[in-house]
Amino acid sequence: MQTYQASCIFDGKATLAEGPGWDEERQAIVWVDIEKGKISRFYPSTHRNETWAISQKVGCVVRTSKGDLLAGGQEGLLKLNPESGEVTSLQNPEPDLPVNRFNDGKCDPQGRLWAGTMSCEEEEGAGSLYRITNEGSVKRMVESVTISNGLAWSQDGTSMYYIDTPTRHVDAFDFDPVEGEISNRRHVIEIPKDMGYPDGMTIDAEGKLWVALWAGWGVGRWDPATGELLARVQLPVECVTACCFGGKDYRTLYITTASRDLDEEGHKEQPQAGGLFAADVGVAGLPTPVFKEA
Ligand code: CA
């Protein structure tokens, strides 16, 4: 099996770095530190990292077609104007569940945001997956989720891949790109116990899935058609949270990591925990879709 090594490109010491997406226009990675409530934009060519502090936990961020950043926080959806720094609160689909927060979220190729929630106490089945459209409507699409993660769409637009982390599976849905409806949920990949837990995920131009492995020291490449593990990216950090393709021709895999659960000894053993990593994995990925604003 092919094995790749990732190297640290930004020793950002994040508590829980997550949700990377590639900003083609700025050639930058947009990402969040969930626990610190920060949204960042990192420029690999200059190593500059811009940061905006949001006064709540923030689980995901996507760029919008108008140049804003749309994020999911503990108090619902919010919009950040990166020029002015102004934050606008939007809809909160779970005002009755203050212990819940948004977790991973991605846009489908049509520009709808799919973002899931979870209990900050990781209560089983307390979260949901929502679909947010450009009309501002929020609809619950999947119920009884524990840790909503993953999210990727096949290049032909007819499959959506999804992860509820504790299940140790990647699931597929049939995806209707016109209506944005999902159906026929089934397991397509099982993550072996010794590889940790599946967290964030992205897809490459060959239709294979790159799954970040929480407590698994890396990222795995799986074939969703067969469930077969094809390749592995190794990191010197135990908790690997998410990944996206970017850089020239989308040939670099950018990877986020966490330091949250490390004790003093752990910090010594994994000094780059919470950093951003990059690896050339010999295959190109796909652009990160943006949220289509009305
Ligand atoms: Ca995640």
Side-chain angles (χ1 to χ4, degrees), residues 153-224:
W153 284 263
S154 63
Q155 217 168 350
D156 69 3
T158 62
S159 296
M160 183 178 96
Y161 300 106
Y162 182 59
I163 290 168
D164 184 1
T165 292
T167 68
R168 275 214 171 81
H169 283 102
V170 177
D171 288 353
F173 290 89
D174 293 342
F175 185 74
D176 177 341
V178 176
E179 301 297 330
E181 296 294 338
I182 50 176
S183 57
N184 189 25
R185 183 177 183 173
R186 70 269 181 196
H187 296 325
V188 290
I189 296 164
E190 181 170 9
I191 310 300
K193 274 210 169 96
D194 62 358
M195 292 186 75
Y197 290 89
D199 194 336
M201 166 170 68
T202 193
I203 191 163
D204 67 34
E206 296 173 359
K208 308 299 191 283
L209 295 170
W210 295 81
V211 181
L213 299 165
W214 178 268
W217 300 90
V219 178
R221 184 193 194 214
W222 273 272
D223 186 343

Side-chain angles (χ1 to χ4, degrees), residues 33-39 52-58:
D33 185 338
I34 296 180
E35 301 284 348
K36 291 197 175 115
K38 285 180 176 172
I39 295 173
W52 297 267
I54 310 297
S55 53
Q56 57 183 291
K57 289 186 182 180
V58 57

Side-chain angles (χ1 to χ4, degrees), residues 90-161:
L90 306 172
Q91 233 171 308
N92 182 1
E94 299 181 341
D96 50 330
L97 299 172
V99 179
N100 274 20
R101 62 163 171 83
F102 268 104
N103 200 42
D104 220 342
K106 300 267 186 71
C107 291
D108 67 25
Q110 287 69 39
R112 312 171 188 99
L113 173 63
W114 294 72
T117 57
M118 61 178 280
S119 156
C120 290
E121 292 158 4
E122 302 190 5
E123 186 194 333
E124 196 178 329
S128 297
L129 177 67
Y130 295 92
R131 185 191 69 194
I132 298 107
T133 60
N134 55 8
E135 291 88 16
S137 83
V138 179
K139 187 180 173 193
R140 181 184 276 123
M141 303 300 286
V142 182
E143 291 180 314
S144 299
V145 179
T146 302
I147 305 181
S148 187
N149 265 314
L151 288 169
W153 284 263
S154 63
Q155 217 168 350
D156 69 3
T158 62
S159 296
M160 183 178 96
Y161 300 106

